[in-house]
Amino acid sequence: MLTTLRSIVQEVNGARDLNEALEIIVSRVQRAMNTEVCSVYLLDPDSNRYILMATEGLYKKAVGNVSLAHSEGLIGLVGSREEPINLEDATAHPRYRYFPETGEERFRSFLGVPIIHHRRVLGVLVVQQRESSRCFDEGEEAFLVTISAQLAGVIAHSEATGAMSGLSLTGQASHDIGFKGVAGSPGVAIGTGVVVYPPADLEAVPDKEVDDTEAEKNLFMAAVMAVREDIELVAERLAPQLRPEELALFEVYLRMLDDNALPGEVMTRIIAGQWAQGALKQVVQQYVRHFEKMGDLYLSERAVDIRDLGRRLLAHLQEGNQEELVYPQETVLVSDELTPAMLGEVPRGQLVGLVSVRGSSNSHVAILARAMGVPTVMGMIDMPVNQLNGRELVVDGFEGQIYASPSADLRLFYQEICDEEDALFRGLEELRDKPCITTDGRRVPLLVNTGLMTDVVRSLSHGAEGIGLYRTEVPFMINERFPSEQEQRAYYREQLEAFAPNDVTMRTLDIGGDKALSYFPISEENPFLGWRGIRVTLDHPEIFLVQVRAMLKASDGLNNLRIMLPMISNVSEVEESLHLIYRVYHEVREEGYDIQMPKVGVMIEIPAAVYQVRDLSHRVDFLSVGSNDLTQYLLAVDRNNPRVASLYHSFHPAVLHALVKIANDAHDAGTPVSICGELAGDPGGAVLLMAMGYDALSMNAASLPKVKSVIRSIDSEWAVKLLHDVLDLDSPHVIKSCVDLALRRAGFGRYLRPGRLSGEAPAAAPASS
């Protein structure tokens, strides 16, 4: 059966459209199960009715003409129960519904299974048999369930592709086709899709032996020189928008083109007699397999870079007869795999949004997009890329969604968000230099989370009072090796000087999980529960000591440094870290640097640390809650995974009660506690955190003006009452609605981003989820 299953899935994957896919399913399943009838009914999202879309065994004229209401007949029963129904005599069942135009009165035995994709019922797959004595056995039922599960994604993709043509299942005009992915860079963009296809197909290159290897070597080296010039041109074009450390991403490409890197291996194969194109394909595939086998998210992104370079080299080898792309004034760049080099090919000022089928929020493209302020959605796993070229697209980088060919209403809705965000920002500029104080005098410092120097520039313009979290791993991630002490010192000095005399809290290297270094691979079955954060740096004190030494020297004469330890799960990790920090401090003092011992704190982001706040408080100067990771660990949800991201909710009652406990325990021990994460940047979340007693809130720079405006307009008593009200609730969605309602009644409705915060986004056809 496994061979049959694979064969059917492969055939369906090769179908040109939805109708062909469904025809393959019904014919192949009928044959595999040796049954008389196999049919597929799909649920039309517009009419909410099941439509007979394909059949083998019933009358063909019934296809497209027979439909059932959402809960009508046995088909509706299978869909509503979301489980198989297996009957010896279907006609005897009270929910049986007879359609004479199908001719199904001849068939008594019935087995129907739901087709479900990402919790959404797409339709029902049915087999029927003439004999009433035949009851489909457990093996047959299991086979049909397996077929349904395997094909659900294919059907969803085919259905989405069909919907992109502008027609629903019933043939009616279809609008507002929505696709769900992962938020890569916040913001909303409206523009025209430009699909960037790979410049050349490496997979299609055959192996071929040649005699004139010298000519092949010359051809290949000319291609290398041409691609090098292309990359340098792209980097030069983006230079005005990026800092040197961000432009270093393009150095990654250029280093791969060094003679002793990829070209060297290609030349070896050419000398052995392989033609240039074949040698290139072999080396690129070897590199890609090597990186992807490591199972590391960051290294997977490096495989993307290798593949992109290979395609560019091949395009030049094939003399690059490529059609010149035309970029509209408002371009939304779309690709199966976006790469940094693709961004620079769009003329300056014309790139408004990015959409990528593959990739995560930590890919090179996402890092650059955030630095450039371009709304981005990644991980669009069911999106039919080839259907998006030239279409008007809405990119919702807050929610990780895009909409194709939006209706006038949906376009107006998102245009209003863009206009309101711009107007709101301009209106809040006057608050930049004013303190964040409630109407009854409670002072709440607002800090920012940074990683790149562009974040600092934006933070200062928004009135940040310091850095609550500087992600030191970012300079490590954009390098091809560990940065030297001097290089790290330069990065850190830039941040410390920008905010002096205000505090800058630097988190020590936090790699592992979804953050990895290409030159320091970590391959694990479950990276989020593995070797990450402080566990890595304590196992490698040579990394930790160099970093702390660079931080301390960078603070010379400024003394506004605070050091924060990530992923702490027990007291011994803190004690070992403090021992190393004190050792470096005394060594740096002996070298003649005029520095003070910085305050040292820990991040509370593992559930175990929540219950050790008092013990940890006795050993450090401050605590800071990493609410994003804490939420992921408490709820066991990876928010970068589109399949479970909807379960991630910062307002979950378990998260809120944990945050209350942390604040209370820290203050009982006399230790200041702050929070950095998504919740702090949400106006409603900030109000709750202030009511819990958090001493400072750290957030992305873009969120700061709204949060400051709200806090300056309320009193502490109002916030505490709201907190007490929501702590009695048991649903994250109800809690969020109650908080939003309270803010609206207090006059802050304009600060709630429609859709994500207020639930007002107009409904759209869910082509993919």
Side-chain angles (χ1 to χ4, degrees):
M1 277 295 187
L2 185 58
T3 303
T4 304
L5 177 66
R6 284 176 179 158
S7 172
I8 294 173
V9 172
Q10 285 174 354
E11 280 191 57
V12 173
N13 273 321
R16 290 167 298 181
D17 54 34
L18 178 61
N19 288 333
E20 185 177 334
L22 297 179
E23 288 295 335
I24 292 170
I25 291 170
V26 295
S27 63
R28 294 287 277 112
V29 170
Q30 183 211 34
R31 204 180 319 152
M33 293 186 65
N34 192 27
T35 185
E36 292 176 272
V37 175
C38 180
S39 307
V40 174
Y41 295 79
L42 292 188
L43 183 61
D44 178 43
D46 293 334
S47 64
N48 203 30
R49 294 180 67 86
Y50 286 100
I51 301 170
L52 177 62
M53 295 296 295
T55 186
E56 199 67 49
L58 299 182
Y59 296 148
K60 292 287 187 181
K61 64 182 180 182
V63 172
N65 295 315
V66 169
S67 70
L68 298 90
H70 183 264
S71 57
E72 184 181 3
L74 293 174
I75 302 301
L77 185 61
V78 173
S80 60
R81 290 178 62 86
E82 298 184 3
E83 63 178 347
I85 291 180
N86 191 351
L87 303 170
E88 283 187 45
D89 187 359
T91 60
H93 195 281
R95 291 288 293 272
Y96 177 73
R97 174 83 162 81
Y98 171 57
F99 290 91
E101 55 265 54
T102 65
E104 66 178 338
E105 68 276 5
R106 300 165 290 160
F107 308 105
R108 298 298 186 94
S109 299
F110 173 96
L111 171 59
V113 300
I115 303 168
I116 300 174
H117 183 65
H118 295 178
R119 293 192 174 192
R120 185 167 69 91
V121 176
L122 301 179
V124 176
L125 179 60
V126 177
V127 290
Q128 293 170 277
Q129 188 72 22
R130 198 180 295 264
E131 304 96 346
S132 61
S133 59
R134 174 177 180 180
C135 180
F136 293 99
D137 62 35
E138 288 184 2
E140 291 172 315
E141 184 175 318
F143 175 76
L144 202 62
V145 168
T146 307
I147 279 282
S148 170
Q150 288 283 324
L151 297 174
V154 179
I155 292 173
H157 182 82
S158 299
E159 191 179 77
T161 303
M164 289 300 303
S165 67
L167 296 177
S168 67
L169 296 178
T170 58
Q172 302 298 312
S174 181
H175 298 284
D176 301 344
I177 307 302
F179 298 91
K180 180 70 176 169
V182 174
S185 177
V188 169
I190 301 172
T192 304
V194 175
V195 177
V196 183
Y197 296 100
D201 185 5
L202 278 166
E203 302 298 324
V205 173
D207 291 331
K208 191 166 71 175
E209 299 291 327
V210 292
D211 295 324
D212 192 355
T213 57
E214 203 60 40
E216 294 298 313
K217 283 164 61 178
N218 291 337
L219 277 173
F220 179 68
M221 289 315 298
V224 170
M225 292 298 295
V227 171
R228 177 177 284 278
E229 288 174 11
D230 289 346
I231 300 298
E232 288 171 345
L233 187 63
V234 166
E236 186 181 331
R237 192 179 295 164
L238 288 177
Q241 302 171 60
L242 300 174
R243 298 286 299 177
E245 62 267 29
E246 294 148 15
L247 283 169
L249 287 174
F250 293 98
E251 288 297 321
V252 171
Y253 273 61
L254 294 174
R255 287 194 189 110
M256 289 181 197
L257 291 173
D258 287 345
D259 290 343
N260 59 350
L262 185 145
E265 293 194 37
V266 174
M267 292 294 276
T268 300
R269 291 174 190 251
I270 292 174
I271 292 168
Q274 183 65 234
W275 72 316
Q277 294 184 35
L280 174 66
K281 179 191 77 170
Q282 291 173 6
V283 172
V284 169
Q285 287 179 338
Q286 177 186 323
Y287 271 59
V288 168
R289 279 195 302 270
H290 174 70
F291 282 125
E292 289 184 338
K293 225 187 295 181
M294 292 180 176
D296 183 284
L297 288 173
Y298 189 80
L299 292 180
S300 294
E301 300 299 341
R302 184 52 46 83
V304 172
D305 296 339
I306 293 279
R307 210 159 13 225
D308 183 52
L309 259 189
R311 289 165 181 159
R312 290 172 183 275
L313 287 164
L314 182 60
H316 280 282
L317 285 172
Q318 294 174 341
E319 299 182 347
N321 296 321
Q322 295 172 277
E323 188 178 334
E324 190 77 20
L325 276 176
V326 177
Y327 296 100
Q329 195 58 41
E330 294 175 328
T331 293
V332 174
L333 207 59
V334 183
S335 183
D336 185 60
E337 286 183 334
L338 278 175
T339 62
M342 292 177 181
L343 274 61
E345 292 171 357
V346 183
R348 190 176 180 186
Q350 291 179 219
L351 181 64
V352 298
L354 296 170
V355 179
S356 183
V357 172
R358 306 188 194 188
S360 70
S361 59
N362 289 294
S363 65
H364 280 171
V365 167
I367 291 171
L368 283 178
R370 288 193 289 272
M372 297 165 68
V374 179
T376 302
V377 179
M378 315 288 287
M380 306 296 294
I381 52 178
D382 290 321
M383 183 181 67
V385 173
N386 58 349
Q387 299 281 323
L388 299 180
N389 200 52
R391 290 184 181 273
E392 184 175 38
L393 301 177
V394 172
V395 180
D396 184 344
F398 294 107
E399 288 302 295
Q401 277 190 299
I402 71 161
Y403 295 94
S405 301
S407 62
D409 287 347
L410 190 70
R411 193 188 193 289
L412 178 62
F413 172 79
Y414 275 103
Q415 187 59 57
E416 285 175 352
I417 292 177
C418 294
D419 297 342
E420 286 169 9
E421 290 283 319
D422 292 343
L424 192 58
F425 175 71
R426 288 193 298 271
L428 294 175
E429 280 185 324
E430 63 183 38
L431 295 177
R432 184 179 64 184
D433 300 321
K434 294 181 179 179
C436 185
I437 303 176
T438 62
T439 56
D440 58 343
R442 165 92 187 273
R443 179 98 162 85
V444 186
L446 299 185
L447 314 174
V448 288
N449 307 328
T450 69
L452 298 166
M453 198 57 198
T454 47
D455 297 327
V456 171
V457 175
R458 201 174 295 119
S459 302
L460 290 170
S461 68
H462 284 58
E465 299 175 56
I467 295 179
L469 169 63
Y470 171 55
R471 303 180 181 93
T472 61
E473 63 272 9
V474 174
F476 282 75
M477 288 171 71
I478 61 178
N479 264 286
E480 283 290 282
R481 54 169 174 74
F482 283 111
S484 67
E485 179 187 317
Q486 188 57 42
E487 288 171 327
Q488 290 185 57
R489 182 180 169 185
Y491 290 135
Y492 305 153
R493 184 73 181 184
E494 226 175 4
Q495 302 275 332
L496 291 163
E497 282 183 336
F499 278 93
N502 293 332
D503 287 339
V504 172
T505 304
M506 296 192 171
R507 180 175 68 190
T508 59
L509 185 61
D510 185 16
I511 56 172
D514 58 351
K515 294 169 292 196
L517 308 178
S518 60
Y519 47 87
F520 190 71
I522 301 173
S523 180
E524 295 179 302
E525 288 287 326
N526 195 336
F528 281 96
L529 298 181
W531 201 45
R532 61 171 301 196
I534 199 68
R535 300 167 184 175
V536 175
T537 48
L538 287 182
D539 283 353
H540 282 275
E542 75 279 12
I543 298 172
F544 186 77
L545 292 168
V546 168
Q547 183 175 40
V548 172
R549 187 173 285 109
M551 288 179 179
L552 292 172
K553 290 181 178 179
S555 72
D556 186 26
L558 299 174
N559 295 316
N560 60 335
L561 168 69
R562 303 201 316 168
I563 296 176
M564 186 160 64
L565 309 172
M567 293 296 294
I568 294 295
S569 60
N570 61 68
V571 168
S572 63
E573 292 168 334
V574 178
E575 292 175 338
E576 191 177 348
S577 301
L578 286 172
H579 171 74
L580 294 173
I581 292 170
Y582 277 112
R583 174 183 139 189
V584 173
Y585 167 70
H586 289 298
E587 290 173 354
V588 172
R589 291 274 296 179
E590 287 173 6
E591 291 180 36
Y593 287 90
D594 180 23
I595 58 170
Q596 298 173 5
M597 177 61 194
K599 291 182 178 179
V600 178
V602 300
M603 292 197 77
I604 307 297
E605 51 190 341
I606 296 177
V610 174
Y611 300 99
Q612 299 179 80
V613 165
R614 293 174 188 272
D615 294 328
L616 293 170
S617 294
H618 296 147
R619 291 165 172 80
V620 297
D621 301 301
F622 66 93
L623 303 175
S624 182
V625 178
S627 66
N628 293 351
D629 266 337
L630 181 60
T631 301
Q632 291 194 106
Y633 284 120
L634 282 172
L635 304 183
V637 171
D638 175 7
R639 64 180 184 154
N640 284 329
N641 181 346
R643 288 184 170 83
V644 295
S646 62
L647 300 176
Y648 178 97
H649 208 302
S650 300
F651 288 84
H652 193 287
V655 175
L656 296 184
H657 283 282
L659 292 173
V660 169
K661 176 177 172 54
I662 294 167
N664 290 342
D665 289 354
H667 289 147
D668 288 347
T671 304
V673 59
S674 61
I675 186 166
C676 51
E678 184 179 276
L679 188 61
D682 180 295
V687 169
L688 297 184
L689 293 168
M690 183 193 74
M692 292 177 194
Y694 280 86
D695 300 296
L697 309 179
S698 189
M699 63 202 72
N700 290 326
S703 303
L704 199 146
K706 294 179 188 177
V707 171
K708 181 184 282 190
S709 178
V710 171
I711 291 179
R712 281 176 54 87
S713 306
I714 63 172
D715 61 61
S716 301
E717 188 178 335
W718 182 86
V720 170
K721 182 181 183 307
L722 176 60
L723 175 64
H724 287 161
D725 289 343
V726 301
L727 286 178
D728 290 331
L729 302 174
D730 59 6
S731 164
H733 302 288
V734 173
I735 290 172
K736 189 67 181 78
S737 297
C738 287
V739 172
D740 287 348
L741 181 60
L743 289 178
R744 288 184 184 283
R745 286 175 173 170
F748 303 117
R750 65 193 184 281
Y751 295 155
L752 304 181
R753 198 188 95 71
R756 179 172 67 115
L757 300 183
S758 63
E760 293 181 353
S768 169
S769 60

